[in-house]
Amino acid sequence: MNRAPESIPQALPHIEALAPYIPGQQPDGEGWVKLNTNENPYPPSPRIAEAIRAELSRLPLYPNPSSGTLREAIADFHGLENSQVLIGNGSDDVLNLLFRSFCDKGKSAGMLEVGYSLYSVLAGIQNTPLIKVACNREMVLDPKSLSACGASVFFLTSPNAPTGVSYSRQQIADILDHYEGLLVVDEAYAAFAQEDAVPLLGNYPNLVITRTFSKSYGLAGLRVGYALADPKVIQLLDRVRDSYNVNRLSQAGALAAFLDTEYYENVINRIEVTREVFREKLKELDWFTYPSQSNYLFTEPCQPGGRVGAEAARDLFEFLQDRKILVRYFAGSSLTESFLRISVGTDEQMDLLLAAIEQWMNRAQPK
Amino acid sequence: MNRAPESIPQALPHIEALAPYIPGQQPDGEGWVKLNTNENPYPPSPRIAEAIRAELSRLPLYPNPSSGTLREAIADFHGLENSQVLIGNGSDDVLNLLFRSFCDKGKSAGMLEVGYSLYSVLAGIQNTPLIKVACNREMVLDPKSLSACGASVFFLTSPNAPTGVSYSRQQIADILDHYEGLLVVDEAYAAFAQEDAVPLLGNYPNLVITRTFSKSYGLAGLRVGYALADPKVIQLLDRVRDSYNVNRLSQAGALAAFLDTEYYENVINRIEVTREVFREKLKELDWFTYPSQSNYLFTEPCQPGGRVGAEAARDLFEFLQDRKILVRYFAGSSLTESFLRISVGTDEQMDLLLAAIEQWMNRAQPK
């Protein structure tokens, strides 16, 4: 009676057709200069280890289903109510919940042509059309074309990925003044920016802000993110999320980090200083680099003689990889393919990178 | 131009209509005898704390996106290939992925009338019809009615929740011989059972087995579970899951637990012994209790004079709660409402429970 191994029931057609999300490389060995996934180069606050150790004996017990203490601390900090905060297993979990709650075949999602690449993966999983609003090379935001795009939910990465360009609070208010859908401002990198959209929450019930502990708090390995929104939106997302989406150690570790403001102000400041120093170096090389309000720089490698383009960018990417320096390359779009995204590491890491870039330029020198 | 706070964009209609899943109570204070969510009463292996400590310095880095080392260890243990294993943020994550990949409005899910209550929540989130196959009080499985139920995916909890009754490998093979859909055997409690369905995987490509670290490994607070299935099924689920669904500490902790077989054999053995001793005590009280191959007992409280029923069960539930003893009560079905589900704790916890039950019986004694 046994069936042949071919006879696996069909998954949903759009699932069968999915292309998987390709995350940045996470090499296992030692010795890499890892500047490809915008991780924080500094160690996490020592209070995190303490908090996690204290939680180990409680591992047999389920975690707090609403991440209660962490939720409260975050609400307090932003001057919001607990009912305006939702904690996710990384902000990717929150983004996924937004797709699942508000988008389907007939209710499309929107994003800028240049933005966080996960949105299109999540749209594919949810079988929802994705509207891409065109960008120009200057990355100037056009609030009108965005608010008129017809998407039920628009995902705006600000500071933008991979450019690092930040949109002002006023620009976001300009969108909200005309947009009927849900505007999700993905503020994964807001800690490195001059302003954020949080003060707009009180005026615009269709605004959702997402944040992560992966970047400024250096806790990519712990998977914690959150959403700030109107209580009605949070209530919906709360029903869709897994009851125990954030484990005990993640709740405890993220809380300890969140409360150690002095430590992180210092870390963020160091990263911003390194970023600006490195940006100057790139300027000296005559490379075009977007002004960044994040912990990475999006720069257009230029070979001696002024050659820029996809070939130069890819060549440098591979040259660096051969020397165990990882950066990120985004093919497939004329707005990204001649650039590399470089995460801001320590000063030492940036010096190693710069030395390698100089080698590459000498090698690339036309004879 | 600001809109009134009422104007929140509508979520999908089925999301607006969702009733949230109500997890078992997780009280914050001390002094509770917690026998309500089938947690393990023994401390986790000391190797877990070591493994987690060793991982703390790597928290700034994203975790391994496929939980590689843990996946390998699990595949090895079960005599399978890595491509037959998927790691989830708890087995609830895996169940959710199955719903999302294989079910929709037109492709229904199935479960036994008495089974893990999360399935119906996940069906609601996915907007998929849920077919419930009737159970009788004897909880005898009828493979034919199950395989003919018409569901695209059937979720079979074995050992069953909340009864604790286990279905044999032969019964599961009998279903698979006639079932065209995907059969998910949810083996959250299989470590406490005499046999499991893993050896059937080679013969039936439409079989998926899910497991968790929450129960036998006492790691409910860590959120790790897994699926075993045909590589084609795993590949689909892998595309739908979040790339970084399991964090660094959970991967490291679960691996350390998984490798400490001696410690867990001992823990499981103690729980089984306590379970059988307690079952004897319930028998002496003349209470009907299902034979359990899990870490809980589903028992029908009987007041002196032989009164059983929803009223007696609920009364005992509340009586115990007032004494800071938590057990689980499932209203809403004639098959469950006269029962309580009691997780197997330590011998000391079971003695406290028994003493409280005796108090209740004396109080409930008809005058």
Side-chain angles (χ1 to χ4, degrees), chain A residues 289-304:
Chain A
T289 308
Y290 284 100
S292 168
Q293 295 200 28
S294 61
N295 67 339
Y296 49 88
L297 289 162
F298 201 53
T299 189
E300 191 171 39
C302 179
Q303 287 174 315

Side-chain angles (χ1 to χ4, degrees), chain A residues 3 100 126 206 215 247, chain B residues 3 62 100 126 206 247:
Chain A
R3 268 101 38 94
R100 215 166 172 199
Q126 186 65 4
N206 59 333
K215 314 297 181 181
N247 74 46
Chain B
R3 269 100 38 94
Y62 279 94
R100 214 164 173 202
Q126 186 65 3
N206 60 332
N247 73 45

Side-chain angles (χ1 to χ4, degrees), chain A residues 42-366:
Chain A
Y42 297 105
S45 152
R47 293 197 198 162
I48 293 169
E50 275 171 52
I52 286 173
R53 267 184 221 120
E55 199 64 20
L56 289 174
S57 67
R58 287 186 281 270
L59 281 182
L61 301 174
Y62 279 94
N64 182 305
S66 61
S67 303
T69 318
L70 179 59
R71 199 182 271 231
E72 255 170 63
I74 289 171
D76 274 2
F77 173 80
H78 290 295
L80 301 170
E81 301 295 321
N82 293 354
S83 59
Q84 292 172 278
V85 182
L86 177 129
I87 314 291
N89 184 40
S91 62
D92 291 353
D93 182 21
V94 176
L95 296 170
N96 191 20
L97 294 173
L98 286 160
F99 268 95
R100 215 166 172 199
S101 303
F102 289 92
C103 299
D104 68 6
K105 248 182 184 172
K107 298 184 86 174
S108 56
M111 66 180 288
L112 292 181
E113 189 184 351
V114 173
Y116 183 26
S117 60
L118 185 73
Y119 309 143
S120 65
V121 177
L122 295 175
I125 294 172
Q126 186 65 4
N127 203 16
T128 196
L130 183 66
I131 296 167
K132 291 197 177 183
V133 170
C135 296
N136 52 24
R137 174 155 167 129
E138 291 66 40
M139 294 295 155
V140 176
L141 189 70
D142 175 14
K144 272 182 196 150
S145 69
L146 194 159
S147 58
C149 77
S152 294
V153 185
F154 196 94
F155 293 85
L156 180 70
T157 328
S158 180
N160 184 265
T163 65
V165 172
S166 187
Y167 307 115
S168 73
R169 192 178 298 158
Q170 188 53 54
Q171 285 177 300
I172 289 165
D174 288 346
I175 298 168
L176 286 161
D177 281 337
H178 300 276
Y179 187 50
E180 296 291 322
L182 199 66
L183 180 69
V184 179
V185 181
D186 181 343
E187 291 193 343
Y189 301 99
F192 306 101
Q194 278 155 20
E195 60 176 27
D196 61 47
V198 176
L200 300 176
L201 280 168
N203 291 334
Y204 299 97
N206 59 333
L207 171 62
V208 178
I209 292 172
T210 62
R211 293 279 182 103
T212 179
F213 281 82
S214 298
K215 314 297 181 181
S216 51
Y217 290 102
L219 292 174
L222 205 56
R223 314 305 303 126
V224 187
Y226 61 91
L228 307 174
D230 187 277
K232 286 182 200 161
V233 174
I234 296 294
Q235 205 179 39
L236 283 167
L237 301 179
D238 248 336
R239 286 184 212 161
V240 180
R241 79 171 168 82
D242 181 55
S243 308
Y244 300 114
N245 60 337
V246 183
N247 74 46
R248 281 192 171 268
L249 307 185
S250 297
Q251 289 185 33
L255 179 64
F258 198 77
L259 298 177
D260 199 356
T261 28
E262 200 185 320
Y263 182 88
Y264 286 101
E265 277 171 12
N266 183 38
V267 162
I268 290 163
N269 185 51
R270 283 167 80 176
I271 291 170
E272 288 174 349
V273 169
T274 304
R275 178 186 72 198
E276 294 310 312
V277 169
F278 193 73
R279 190 160 185 259
E280 275 307 308
K281 299 268 172 70
L282 294 173
K283 211 172 189 175
E284 286 166 20
L285 294 175
D286 242 350
W287 292 12
F288 171 73
T289 308
Y290 284 100
S292 168
Q293 295 200 28
S294 61
N295 67 339
Y296 49 88
L297 289 162
F298 201 53
T299 189
E300 191 171 39
C302 179
Q303 287 174 315
R307 278 186 303 176
V308 295
E311 206 180 307
R314 194 189 283 273
D315 188 64
L316 175 55
F317 171 78
E318 284 165 5
F319 182 89
L320 294 174
Q321 190 167 23
D322 290 345
R323 279 146 193 83
K324 297 191 96 168
I325 299 176
L326 285 178
V327 299
R328 196 83 182 263
Y329 178 65
F330 296 91
S333 156
S334 61
L335 288 167
T336 63
E337 67 188 8
S338 66
F339 286 77
L340 291 181
R341 192 192 68 187
I342 298 167
S343 308
V344 177
T346 60
D347 290 330
E348 295 68 32
Q349 289 178 315
M350 301 322 272
D351 286 345
L352 285 170
L353 171 63
L354 202 67
I357 287 176
E358 278 161 8
Q359 273 180 37
W360 176 76
M361 294 198 57
N362 290 333
R363 202 202 61 163
Q365 193 97 40

Side-chain angles (χ1 to χ4, degrees), chain B residues 221-296:
Chain B
L222 205 56
R223 315 305 302 125
V224 187
Y226 61 91
L228 307 175
D230 188 276
K232 287 182 200 160
V233 174
I234 296 295
Q235 205 179 39
L236 283 166
L237 300 178
D238 248 336
R239 287 184 212 162
V240 179
R241 77 171 169 82
D242 180 55
S243 309
Y244 299 114
N245 61 336
V246 183
N247 73 45
R248 281 192 170 268
L249 306 185
S250 297
Q251 289 185 33
L255 179 65
F258 197 78
L259 298 177
D260 199 355
T261 30
E262 200 185 320
Y263 182 88
Y264 286 100
E265 277 171 10
N266 183 37
V267 162
I268 291 164
N269 186 49
R270 283 168 81 176
I271 291 171
E272 288 175 348
V273 168
T274 303
R275 178 185 74 198
E276 293 312 312
V277 168
F278 193 73
R279 189 159 185 259
E280 275 306 308
K281 299 269 172 68
L282 295 172
K283 210 173 191 176
E284 285 165 22
L285 294 174
D286 242 351
W287 292 12
F288 171 73
T289 309
Y290 285 99
S292 168
Q293 294 200 27
S294 61
N295 67 339
Y296 49 87

Side-chain angles (χ1 to χ4, degrees), chain B residues 49-361:
Chain B
E50 275 171 52
I52 286 173
R53 269 186 221 118
E55 199 65 19
L56 289 174
S57 66
R58 286 186 282 269
L59 282 182
L61 300 174
Y62 279 94
N64 181 304
S66 61
S67 301
T69 319
L70 179 58
R71 200 182 267 230
E72 253 171 66
I74 289 171
D76 274 1
F77 173 80
H78 289 295
L80 301 170
E81 301 295 321
N82 293 354
S83 58
Q84 292 173 278
V85 182
L86 176 129
I87 313 292
N89 184 38
S91 62
D92 291 353
D93 182 20
V94 176
L95 296 170
N96 192 19
L97 294 174
L98 285 160
F99 268 94
R100 214 164 173 202
S101 304
F102 289 92
C103 299
D104 68 5
K105 249 182 183 171
K107 298 184 86 174
S108 56
M111 66 179 287
L112 292 181
E113 188 184 351
V114 173
Y116 182 28
S117 59
L118 184 73
Y119 308 143
S120 64
V121 176
L122 295 175
I125 294 172
Q126 186 65 3
N127 203 18
T128 196
L130 183 66
I131 296 167
K132 290 198 179 183
V133 170
C135 296
N136 53 24
R137 174 153 167 129
E138 289 67 38
M139 294 295 154
V140 176
L141 189 72
D142 175 15
K144 271 182 197 150
S145 68
L146 194 159
S147 58
C149 78
S152 295
V153 186
F154 197 93
F155 292 86
L156 179 71
T157 329
S158 180
N160 184 265
T163 65
V165 172
S166 185
Y167 306 116
S168 72
R169 191 178 299 158
Q170 187 54 54
Q171 285 177 301
I172 289 166
D174 288 346
I175 298 167
L176 287 161
D177 280 336
H178 299 277
Y179 186 50
E180 297 291 320
L182 199 67
L183 180 69
V184 180
V185 182
D186 180 345
E187 291 194 343
Y189 301 99
F192 305 102
Q194 279 154 19
E195 59 176 28
D196 62 45
V198 176
L200 299 177
L201 280 169
N203 290 334
Y204 299 97
N206 60 332
L207 171 63
V208 178
I209 292 172
T210 62
R211 293 278 181 103
T212 179
F213 281 83
S214 298
K215 314 298 181 179
S216 51
Y217 289 102
L219 292 175
L222 205 56
R223 315 305 302 125
V224 187
Y226 61 91
L228 307 175
D230 188 276
K232 287 182 200 160
V233 174
I234 296 295
Q235 205 179 39
L236 283 166
L237 300 178
D238 248 336
R239 287 184 212 162
V240 179
R241 77 171 169 82
D242 180 55
S243 309
Y244 299 114
N245 61 336
V246 183
N247 73 45
R248 281 192 170 268
L249 306 185
S250 297
Q251 289 185 33
L255 179 65
F258 197 78
L259 298 177
D260 199 355
T261 30
E262 200 185 320
Y263 182 88
Y264 286 100
E265 277 171 10
N266 183 37
V267 162
I268 291 164
N269 186 49
R270 283 168 81 176
I271 291 171
E272 288 175 348
V273 168
T274 303
R275 178 185 74 198
E276 293 312 312
V277 168
F278 193 73
R279 189 159 185 259
E280 275 306 308
K281 299 269 172 68
L282 295 172
K283 210 173 191 176
E284 285 165 22
L285 294 174
D286 242 351
W287 292 12
F288 171 73
T289 309
Y290 285 99
S292 168
Q293 294 200 27
S294 61
N295 67 339
Y296 49 87
L297 288 161
F298 201 53
T299 188
E300 190 172 39
C302 177
Q303 286 174 314
R307 278 187 302 177
V308 294
E311 207 180 305
R314 193 189 285 274
D315 189 64
L316 175 54
F317 171 78
E318 285 165 4
F319 182 90
L320 293 174
Q321 189 166 24
D322 289 346
R323 279 148 193 82
K324 297 192 94 169
I325 299 176
L326 284 179
V327 299
R328 196 84 182 264
Y329 178 65
F330 296 91
S333 156
S334 60
L335 289 167
T336 63
E337 68 187 8
S338 67
F339 285 77
L340 292 180
R341 192 193 67 186
I342 298 168
S343 307
V344 176
T346 61
D347 291 331
E348 296 68 31
Q349 288 178 314
M350 301 321 273
D351 286 346
L352 285 169
L353 171 63
L354 203 67
I357 287 177
E358 278 160 7
Q359 272 179 39
W360 177 75
M361 294 198 60

